[in-house]
Amino acid sequence: MTDSTPDIAVLRRGVHGMPMAEYEAALRERLPEYDIRRAETPEEERELLASATVATGSTVEPSVLDRAGNLRLFACSYAGYGHLPTEAFEDHGVSVTTASGVHAPNIAEHVLGFLLTFCRRHHEGWRRQQRREWRAYPTHELAGSTVTVVGLGALGGGVVERLAGFDVDTIGIRHSPEKGGPTDEVLGTDDLHDALARTDHLVLAVPLTDETEGMIGAAEFDTLPPDAFVVNVARGPVIDTDALVSAVRSNSIGGAGLDVTDPEPLPEDHPLWGFENVLITPHNAGHTPEYYERLADIVAENLRRVEETGEYEGLRNQVL
């Protein structure tokens, strides 16, 4: 380590198994005048945090902040921030931003993959291919259906944007419907059942909160048409898992596409693995080779704003 004070400390833990060296390179490309250093060991991480003005990574231990006298901004590399020691950041006067929005294009494509697979029944075609069975099967069209998207943040908005060319009707559900949104119709959470009754495909893209935990349970599955498909790219606990298993077993819904589950990882003996109309990916929708590029864009934009204003306030994705 050199003796000079770094501007930006890049911490060790990466995202989706991608090396932080790639993130460091993306930051250097956008902020060539900044002294950017990446920690490779716990000791280097502590040393950098003790002197850097900006740190970026997954999280920091609250005790480390006691020595981080220069730290003004922590740029979290995750979209969520529930895992962060927010009280410690507040106590030390450190602003916090997130990576919200970096997932939108890839997760939206993941959702479209689920929807098209269900409609065109690619999963059935794959099974017949494995059996070398040349036998046609009935399919459906996505066009003309109603897609309800619960959550109209970056993820939900990305899904709606990519549905634009598929000739579907869209309903958006959000906590504050007066804010409007990109869907044909926007309803509040109190009107969820009204939307579900008209839904062919339900997409869950909300953060996990006290309000959204278990929001799709037995009553909601009863309201959905029996041929409706449910796609969850939010968090596993947004769906009551036992109610989901019951709904699939009783043919109360057409099927489910799950990138997230509760519990997670899903145990090997869990019944969800055995349903032919349940598609499961291992919390993989967020993976994209563009992750660090988009995250570096956010950090660079925020630091340019700090240069203009001299304040660590009013930043993009700022949560503290």
Side-chain angles (χ1 to χ4, degrees):
M1 302 293 293
T2 62
D3 294 332
S4 59
T5 301
D7 297 311
I8 303 174
V10 180
L11 308 185
R12 293 175 297 138
R13 186 175 180 181
V15 177
H16 298 298
M18 297 182 292
M20 290 295 266
E22 295 179 5
Y23 181 29
E24 177 191 18
L27 288 171
R28 289 185 183 280
E29 180 180 353
R30 290 158 178 77
L31 300 165
E33 72 276 27
Y34 282 71
D35 182 0
I36 302 170
R37 301 186 211 168
R38 176 173 52 88
E40 295 183 342
T41 67
E43 181 180 358
E44 288 182 349
E45 199 165 89
R46 287 190 294 269
E47 290 181 5
L48 286 175
L49 284 168
S51 56
T53 305
V54 176
T56 183
S58 60
T59 189
V60 296
E61 292 296 324
S63 58
V64 174
L65 294 175
D66 293 335
R67 298 181 55 217
N70 294 332
L71 192 63
R72 298 294 308 279
L73 173 65
F74 180 74
C76 182
S77 55
Y78 293 166
Y81 63 96
H83 65 290
L84 295 179
T86 52
E87 290 186 6
F89 280 123
E90 287 179 329
D91 290 343
H92 289 80
V94 178
S95 298
V96 176
T97 60
T98 72
S100 178
V102 299
H103 292 113
N106 44 288
I107 291 184
E109 289 180 2
H110 205 90
V111 169
L112 263 293
F114 275 141
L115 296 180
L116 292 172
T117 294
F118 283 133
C119 287
R120 303 309 302 166
R121 297 186 66 196
H122 292 311
H123 52 313
E124 177 60 28
W126 172 252
R127 281 193 292 270
R128 297 191 185 198
Q129 179 182 345
Q130 299 309 105
R131 299 191 296 263
R132 294 174 171 79
E133 179 182 348
W134 186 276
R135 184 167 61 92
Y137 47 88
T139 63
H140 306 280
E141 292 185 4
L142 184 57
S145 66
T146 296
V147 182
T148 294
V149 180
V150 182
L152 293 179
L155 296 187
V159 172
V160 176
E161 180 181 352
R162 282 154 184 79
L163 285 170
F166 286 89
D167 192 24
V168 299
D169 295 320
T170 56
I171 303 173
I173 301 291
R174 68 186 316 167
H175 179 72
S176 302
E178 65 275 7
K179 293 181 179 178
T183 48
D184 298 320
E185 185 178 355
V186 180
L187 300 176
T189 51
D190 290 342
D191 296 315
L192 175 62
H193 280 267
D194 175 64
L196 295 180
R198 300 182 277 139
T199 295
D200 297 300
H201 305 284
L202 175 64
V203 178
L204 304 174
V206 290
L208 180 61
T209 65
D210 291 341
E211 180 181 4
T212 63
E213 184 173 359
M215 74 182 304
I216 305 300
E220 287 71 28
F221 287 125
D222 285 344
T223 300
L224 279 168
D227 56 354
F229 291 99
V230 179
V231 174
N232 190 7
V233 289
R235 287 293 185 267
V238 171
I239 292 180
D240 181 323
T241 301
D242 291 340
L244 173 61
V245 171
S246 178
V248 176
R249 277 181 172 155
S250 63
N251 295 316
S252 296
I253 59 172
L258 309 173
D259 187 58
V260 291
T261 60
D262 181 27
E264 194 172 296
L266 195 65
E268 293 181 8
D269 60 351
H270 199 281
L272 284 174
W273 288 116
F275 297 118
E276 290 187 349
N277 59 341
V278 175
L279 307 180
I280 299 172
T281 51
H283 208 140
N284 205 64
H287 187 278
T288 170
E290 301 301 317
Y291 195 102
Y292 288 143
E293 297 293 324
R294 295 177 187 144
L295 178 56
D297 284 340
I298 294 172
V299 175
E301 175 185 331
N302 283 334
L303 291 183
R304 297 303 182 201
R305 189 170 299 177
V306 170
E307 291 174 6
E308 294 173 0
T309 66
E311 302 289 337
Y312 289 86
E313 297 293 337
L315 305 179
R316 179 178 170 188
N317 293 348
Q318 185 166 1
V319 292
L320 287 179

